[in-house]
Amino acid sequence: MHRGLRTCFSRLGHFIASHPVFFASAPVLISILLGASFSRYQVEESVEHLLAPQHSLAKIERNLVNSLFPVNRSKHRLYSDLQTPGRYGRVIVTSFQKANMLDQHHTDLILKLHAAVTKIQVPRPGFNYTFAHICILNNDKTCIVDDIVHVLEELKNARATNRTNFAITYPITHLKDGRRPSTTGTQ
């Protein structure tokens, strides 16, 4: 067996030594061809494209929402405006009894939830991250708050002062300070 292996490897070495151009250029050519095929290779970064079926109900519903409630991209971009996957968080608040989410009890709960989210702290070695460190900042270097929170605060203030002339109109509400946030959740 030892003699057979020695003979085979001796012949292989002799064959390679007698054809040096082929054995020197073939690996280079194969590497170039395989490398050229990677130039057309594109990494698919869309998780939605990789995991969701082409005609899934979620995609159809998102397209419907985008067509019915177009987003004005000229304003500040908020997390509530984003309708594609990304690194942001969203909280959707609903009522168990299908009650009015604008009544005083639910308005207070939503504003308490908003306050709790803005007070979240994440302790890391050497630094405590707060909501102010990761939020989207406006030109004044303050966190941008979704317009629906401003509407709920205005509604709460109107109730506290017994104002009865505050109305939420669809799709745009006129606030006391003159701003006109969209009540659809988009800007």
Side-chain angles (χ1 to χ4, degrees), residues 93-107 109-110:
V93 181
T94 60
S95 172
F96 285 121
Q97 295 90 14
K98 304 292 183 202
N100 184 357
M101 295 303 290
L102 296 176
D103 67 8
Q104 185 170 359
H105 173 71
H106 288 99
T107 302
L109 287 176
I110 293 169

Side-chain angles (χ1 to χ4, degrees), residues 131-164:
F131 182 77
H133 291 106
I134 59 172
C135 70
I136 299 173
L137 300 175
N138 61 12
N139 295 336
D140 301 333
K141 303 294 183 201
T142 58
C143 292
I144 298 173
V145 179
D146 201 350
D147 287 334
I148 195 68
V149 174
H150 292 298
V151 171
L152 293 176
E153 287 172 345
E154 185 86 18
L155 182 63
K156 182 178 179 178
N157 291 337
R159 285 186 181 130
T161 59
N162 290 327
R163 271 191 318 160
T164 58

Side-chain angles (χ1 to χ4, degrees), residues 56-68:
S56 69
L57 185 59
K59 287 182 179 180
I60 294 168
E61 288 176 352
R62 187 192 64 234
N63 290 335
L64 177 66
V65 168
N66 288 340
S67 67
L68 294 176

Side-chain angles (χ1 to χ4, degrees), residues 44-54 56 58-60 62-63 83-85:
E44 182 61 51
E45 295 180 358
S46 170
V47 176
E48 178 183 344
H49 180 73
L50 291 172
L51 300 177
Q54 185 66 21
S56 69
K59 287 182 179 180
I60 294 168
R62 187 192 64 234
N63 290 335
Q83 291 146 0
T84 56

